[in-house]
Amino acid sequence: MMAYQTVNPFTGEELTSFDEISKQALKEKLKKASTCFETWRKNSFDERKKILQKVANLMRERSDELAALVTLEMGKRIKESKGEVELAASIYEYYATHAAQFLADKPLSPEKGAAYVRNEPIGVLLGIEPWNYPYYQVARFAAPNIMAGNCILLKHASNVPQCALEIEKLFADAGAPEGLYTNLFISSDKIEELMADPVIKAVSLTGSEKAGASIAAAAGKNLKKSVLELGGSDPFIVLEDAAIDKTVKWAVYGRMQNCGQACIAAKRFIVMDKVYDEFVEKFKGALEKMEPGDPMQETTMLGPLSSKSALEGLEAQVEKSVKAGAKLLTGGKRFEMQGYFMQPTILTDIPKDAEAYHEELFGPVASVYRVSTEDEAVVLANATRFGLGGAIFTADEKRGQKLAERIHTGMVFINHPTGSQPDLPFGGTIQSGYGRELSSLGIHEFLNKKLVRTCDINDK
Ligand code: NAP
């Protein structure tokens, strides 16, 4: 099998493939990135901004074509694909607009003399990104770092090669110098060796725990910094005072966005006893209405999963959970039709040793738990090794905020499904990774915080 391949998840058809980069070509690309850094680092924010704003503008101009490619390669519904293109464009624009302010010198107030901290770029960074949001994931990493003066080498997931090439083209068409943003068709097993190359100064990976552990090890071995955005099994807590119809609407969105293939999708619904029956009945009703269809059609409610292996893996997780004692309230199997479609599924009464209890379910499968106190809700919410996001629905915002303090995740949203926007920090804790992307925090991950101190040694 070729390293990089487009397989349409709606038809199962293998459409195109790309060869992996040769050793020699990789060497040349590393050299170009390294050379580019020497000039790019000296450019003003205004010069950098011109390129990034142009990337944002081009994304908007090409929205239809870019969106169609996402849908073709990983099966996202076309409406959502267009939303993703706009979100990615808004991230490029956000950093183009705000980077100068975020990275201004920081004056310090030492007892004697003067001092400030300057934010200097560190060089060529390697980004490793997943297929689930092919443009958004790259934007989160590339936009802040390019504005900060770093250069990017990008290893995208092997099932979205055409999206990967389009991103590189956006930069080229925006007038980026050669080496500023470079796509690499390189397989995962060559990354460890690449990490040892002195040109690479740091790495950021968004993906699974397994990939994260392997990258963190390679980074550690080479004394290079890493940022990891990994999996999640986010709780969605429904308190007894929540407005149920509104909560159900956003529970459906939270679980079913991107066909359930989002790291911050709501995965475990923890519902107070008093409203449990009503919530579950309405949630089930809404999921059962979701008909599978062609993801290229604007009216389609449910698209396919990204690949055959994703479908098989999820189906097996559900099967094993049911064998372990979980109850299947609806769904549970693939749709018997063309494409990698999984039925919207609800599991309840999930025992502690079931896979659904402790593993991430990356697709349209909701785990629902009944609790009778807030304390019980907190115990369940924290009964996972993940710590990415979470949501709380309640009529009492103060109560929601108090409860949020007890949830061990990087993000908690009150009366809103966990989400992402350019001006809010994104990231997790525990096994969901470390470091932050987006907002003013995301641009400070890969910088040399250089102290410049002025104080004559002879001054008293
Ligand atoms: P994955 O297998 O880890 O793939 C993600 C990326 O890592 C791909 O580019 C993949 O390349 C590469 N990769 C895999 N193993 C590697 C290794 N040993 N060394 C270097 N690179 C490696 O992830 P996935 O299962 O496709 O994606 C879904 C996961 O990502 C879920 O767990 C999800 O929650 C997580 N995710 C997290 C966030 C977040 O922000 N926290 C956002 C989105 C997704 P190949 O395709 O070539 O294998």
Side-chain angles (χ1 to χ4, degrees):
M1 199 177 94
M2 296 285 190
Y4 278 75
Q5 231 181 0
T6 302
V7 178
N8 182 347
F10 177 55
T11 60
E13 232 182 316
E14 288 181 20
L15 297 175
T16 181
S17 59
F18 297 85
D19 286 333
E20 191 167 358
I21 190 166
S22 68
K23 262 196 163 172
Q24 186 53 31
L26 178 60
K27 225 170 132 187
E28 282 160 22
K29 287 198 189 275
L30 283 163
K31 186 145 188 276
K32 282 198 174 127
S34 176
T35 307
C36 179
F37 175 64
E38 291 314 319
T39 49
W40 187 252
R41 68 185 306 174
K42 294 180 198 134
N43 280 353
S44 66
F45 284 116
D46 276 346
E47 284 167 301
R48 295 177 196 161
K49 178 180 176 170
K50 272 187 217 139
I51 307 284
L52 234 63
Q53 184 59 52
K54 188 87 208 279
V55 169
N57 299 347
L58 286 174
M59 285 201 91
R60 288 179 174 132
E61 273 168 33
R62 298 175 189 175
S63 175
D64 287 351
E65 296 88 325
L66 291 172
L69 268 185
V70 179
T71 300
L72 180 78
E73 294 201 299
M74 55 68 69
K76 194 189 304 273
R77 294 185 302 118
I78 192 74
K79 250 190 182 165
E80 291 185 310
S81 298
K82 287 180 189 165
E84 183 190 334
V85 172
E86 174 49 36
L87 178 58
S90 72
I91 292 171
Y92 288 110
E93 190 164 68
Y94 176 79
Y95 282 107
T97 311
H98 296 285
Q101 167 206 339
F102 294 153
L103 299 181
D105 289 348
K106 185 168 183 249
L108 302 177
S109 314
E111 277 185 14
K112 277 190 213 162
Y116 60 89
V117 172
R118 171 151 296 182
N119 291 299
E120 291 192 344
I122 58 171
V124 177
L125 312 177
L126 174 65
I128 304 174
E129 300 296 337
W131 47 264
N132 63 343
Y133 292 90
Y135 301 127
Y136 157 77
Q137 301 286 5
V138 170
R140 284 195 327 192
F141 171 63
N145 286 306
I146 285 176
M147 278 309 290
N150 292 313
C151 293
I152 303 295
L153 292 175
L154 206 292
K155 183 242 175 296
H156 219 319
S158 47
N159 56 335
V160 288
Q162 298 189 62
C163 292
L165 286 176
E166 282 306 308
I167 301 170
E168 191 179 50
K169 188 164 186 303
L170 282 165
F171 276 93
D173 294 351
E178 216 183 346
L180 180 63
Y181 179 98
T182 308
N183 177 62
L184 295 181
F185 282 151
I186 183 167
S187 59
S188 307
D189 56 9
K190 306 241 169 66
I191 296 293
E192 196 179 334
E193 194 185 330
L194 181 60
M195 280 300 300
D197 194 293
V199 167
I200 309 277
K201 295 296 184 284
V203 62
S204 176
L205 175 134
T206 296
S208 59
E209 290 167 280
K210 192 168 164 237
S214 143
I215 283 303
K221 202 168 147 192
N222 292 286
L223 296 179
K224 294 176 183 177
K225 184 176 174 181
S226 58
V227 162
L228 300 179
E229 299 281 1
L230 309 178
S233 188
D234 287 3
F236 183 109
I237 300 176
V238 185
L239 296 181
E240 75 287 347
D241 59 0
I244 291 303
D245 288 338
K246 178 173 133 194
T247 304
V248 168
K249 177 178 167 195
W250 292 107
V252 172
Y253 171 83
R255 179 59 285 197
M256 300 302 292
Q257 57 179 310
N258 213 27
C259 200
Q261 304 163 111
C263 51
I264 51 164
K267 290 171 187 148
R268 296 176 301 130
F269 296 83
I270 299 171
V271 187
M272 286 289 211
D273 195 27
K274 234 175 158 182
V275 288
Y276 180 92
D277 291 338
E278 185 187 356
F279 174 87
V280 167
E281 191 198 318
K282 290 182 171 167
F283 188 46
K284 177 171 176 272
L287 292 194
E288 285 175 346
K289 278 200 198 110
M290 298 183 93
E291 296 284 339
D294 181 352
M296 286 289 182
Q297 298 296 324
E298 292 274 345
T299 50
T300 292
M301 294 175 84
L302 181 73
L305 290 177
S306 62
S307 65
K308 187 164 182 257
S309 61
L311 175 63
E312 286 169 355
L314 186 63
E315 216 183 13
Q317 280 182 309
V318 172
E319 246 175 63
K320 278 192 249 168
S321 298
V322 171
K323 263 202 188 124
K327 282 195 188 133
L328 196 58
L329 204 63
T330 186
K333 287 197 177 65
R334 70 184 74 189
F335 282 102
E336 289 306 331
M337 60 187 280
Q338 158 202 297
Y340 310 132
F341 287 92
M342 178 75 185
Q343 295 172 348
T345 299
I346 299 178
L347 294 170
T348 64
D349 304 273
I350 301 162
K352 279 191 178 154
D353 57 348
E355 213 165 303
Y357 191 92
H358 50 88
E359 292 301 327
E360 179 182 30
L361 300 176
F362 215 57
V365 180
S367 303
V368 186
Y369 298 86
R370 186 197 287 264
V371 291
S372 42
T373 64
E374 265 187 39
D375 286 351
E376 249 185 86
V378 169
V379 169
L380 253 177
N382 293 333
T384 158
R385 64 184 188 279
F386 296 108
L388 193 55
I392 299 168
F393 276 72
T394 171
D396 181 348
E397 287 182 0
K398 286 261 162 339
R399 185 180 172 199
Q401 284 163 357
K402 273 206 113 37
L403 189 56
E405 287 169 17
R406 303 173 67 195
I407 310 291
H408 304 158
T409 60
M411 302 169 277
V412 182
F413 282 60
I414 294 152
N415 291 331
H416 195 293
T418 313
S420 176
Q421 60 191 61
D423 55 352
L424 293 177
F426 190 104
T429 184
I430 330 173
Q431 295 288 102
S432 291
Y434 46 78
R436 287 294 177 270
E437 291 190 307
L438 297 177
S439 79
S440 59
L441 300 188
I443 203 165
H444 286 276
E445 290 287 356
F446 299 112
L447 294 171
N448 174 22
K449 304 256 165 200
K450 184 191 272 182
L451 170 70
V452 182
R453 168 86 165 122
T454 317
C455 180
D456 195 302
I457 187 78
N458 291 329
D459 281 353
K460 291 241 165 92

